[in-house]
Amino acid sequence: MPLQLTEDVSHATNGNGDHNGSNGHVDVTVSAAAKLREMLNDPNGFVFAPGVYDGLSARTALEVGFDCLYMTGAGTSASKLGTADLGLCTQTDMIEHATMIANLDRSVPVIADMDTGYGGPIMVSRTVEAYARAGIAGFHIEDQVLQKRCGHLGGKEVVPLDEYLARIRAAVEARERIGSDIVIMARTDALQPLGYDDAIHRLKEAQKLGVDVLFLEGLRSKEEMRNAVADLAPMPTLMNLIEHGATPTVSHDEAKEMGFKVMILSLASVAPAYVGIRDALVKLKKTGLMGTPSEITPKKIFEVCGLNDFTDLDGRAGGGSFGEDRTA
């Protein structure tokens, strides 16, 4: 399905320039997938999506004003299971997480990790259908073996090309069967085990099957980044930036200048959350107090998580259940 959009997209806000939560007045007449396609079609556009790993991190990214989010698989594994990114999240884990994040604000597209698709072609098809029903705007699916690992760890293994392309065919066929706009991003982890030329070949073969974006994971130098964009042109390409990972750190502007169309930052909220939580708990253990800034009240956290939207909804319905709770 080529990257085309035939409908107008309006991005709803709450009147203060902030994104509404799931209970605000959100225009969802055009799907998040269609909006992501519009962003990809814009000749000057650049999709910049921070990784979010749970409801609070997603709500915080929405509060800051990002217009696209990325549901990180590594962050999902860490937050939902408390485990390293070693392929332990199941299809059910990922669908549940994706559904929650995508529906916090349906006017903001969410790109989601789909790992390997969680099985053979039938399972891939079912996963695509579930992500589309959940409201996910786009996803990437990769060629690692089922017992996969984070793309920035060593020792990765990939399936034979035919098996990878079967996953891609199943994803494209599922999208067509259900009439969805969901954006399919073909990812390869073949760079580490097989080399650059094989990785590019895999993505070009995936392109022939109808994917929308190409994603070469684990790029090792700025020269390799530029070469990948050029070798895969004119297809849109995605960069996954993990600071201190396998890929050199580049800025939003530098990635755009290189020609990438999408940039995801998988650990954008995971790493700061670990640092902040650990620092606070170390201080608590030593002093008995966390030293939270005075403006971070319970009410502030609840507002980030939709307090005003929920109380407005209750009031409009005549419930009156919350009384003065919103100003407490």
Side-chain angles (χ1 to χ4, degrees):
M1 180 181 292
L3 286 169
Q4 295 179 344
L5 179 73
T6 58
E7 300 175 87
D8 292 331
V9 177
S10 61
H11 192 147
T13 66
N14 63 10
N16 298 317
D18 299 325
H19 300 299
N20 284 293
S22 58
N23 293 281
H25 304 291
V26 178
D27 180 358
V28 293
T29 56
V30 176
S31 71
K35 179 161 189 179
L36 179 58
R37 286 180 176 276
E38 180 190 26
M39 296 165 74
L40 290 167
N41 279 327
D42 181 352
N44 299 312
F46 184 76
V47 179
F48 186 56
V52 296
Y53 64 91
D54 67 354
L56 181 58
S57 61
R59 288 279 197 179
T60 304
L62 293 171
E63 180 194 29
V64 170
F66 282 95
D67 59 7
C68 187
L69 305 181
Y70 171 63
M71 188 194 87
T72 160
T76 298
S77 184
S79 63
K80 193 173 180 66
L81 303 182
T83 64
D85 186 14
L86 297 173
L88 298 174
C89 279
T90 65
Q91 181 199 57
T92 299
D93 292 326
M94 297 294 280
I95 291 170
E96 287 178 349
H97 225 50
T99 301
M100 178 272 293
I101 291 173
N103 285 280
L104 292 175
D105 184 338
R106 288 179 289 165
S107 70
V108 177
V110 174
I111 299 168
D113 191 344
M114 195 185 282
D115 295 321
T116 62
Y118 314 106
I122 295 173
M123 189 65 81
V124 170
S125 178
R126 287 172 58 84
T127 310
V128 172
E129 292 178 19
Y131 271 33
R133 286 195 301 269
I136 289 296
F139 64 86
H140 60 76
I141 183 168
E142 68 198 49
D143 57 357
Q144 284 199 59
V145 297
L146 289 181
Q147 194 60 48
K148 60 148 289 174
R149 62 189 63 194
C150 171
H152 289 248
L153 291 177
K156 292 186 294 182
E157 298 178 53
V158 294
V159 297
L161 177 60
D162 288 348
E163 186 174 342
Y164 174 47
L165 296 181
R167 294 175 185 175
I168 299 295
R169 287 191 194 94
V172 173
E173 191 276 338
R175 177 179 63 185
E176 293 175 351
R177 186 177 64 256
I178 63 177
S180 171
D181 280 334
I182 196 167
V183 174
I184 300 177
M185 304 177 175
R187 163 177 159 173
T188 183
D189 286 73
L191 181 60
Q192 183 190 96
L194 301 180
Y196 179 83
D197 290 341
D198 277 5
I200 292 293
H201 176 67
R202 285 182 172 229
L203 291 179
K204 287 185 175 181
E205 291 300 303
Q207 173 189 347
K208 296 175 184 177
L209 300 179
V211 302
D212 304 299
V213 176
L214 303 178
F215 172 12
L216 204 171
E217 175 65 303
L219 290 162
R220 300 164 296 192
S221 68
K222 292 184 178 182
E223 180 183 10
E224 203 166 57
M225 295 177 195
R226 294 182 185 278
N227 289 342
V229 171
D231 290 339
L232 296 171
M235 284 289 289
T237 48
L238 179 152
M239 176 194 291
N240 178 26
L241 179 64
I242 297 181
E243 292 187 7
H244 315 304
T247 299
T249 298
V250 298
S251 68
H252 163 287
D253 289 339
E254 191 171 3
K256 185 176 180 181
E257 183 274 328
M258 287 179 174
F260 287 96
K261 194 69 176 179
V262 183
M263 185 177 190
I264 58 175
L265 296 93
S266 294
L267 299 185
S269 55
V270 177
Y274 167 69
V275 172
I277 292 169
R278 189 180 189 280
D279 287 349
L281 293 179
V282 167
K283 185 173 184 178
L284 178 63
K285 186 177 180 181
K286 288 181 177 179
T287 69
L289 293 171
M290 294 182 295
T292 304
S294 59
E295 66 271 17
I296 308 301
T297 62
K299 177 174 174 283
K300 169 60 179 177
I301 300 299
F302 298 154
E303 285 176 341
V304 171
C305 293
L307 173 64
N308 293 340
D309 288 335
F310 285 117
T311 53
D312 284 347
L313 185 155
D314 184 74
R316 291 195 305 271
S321 300
F322 295 97
E324 297 300 316
D325 284 358
R326 74 156 61 198
T327 58

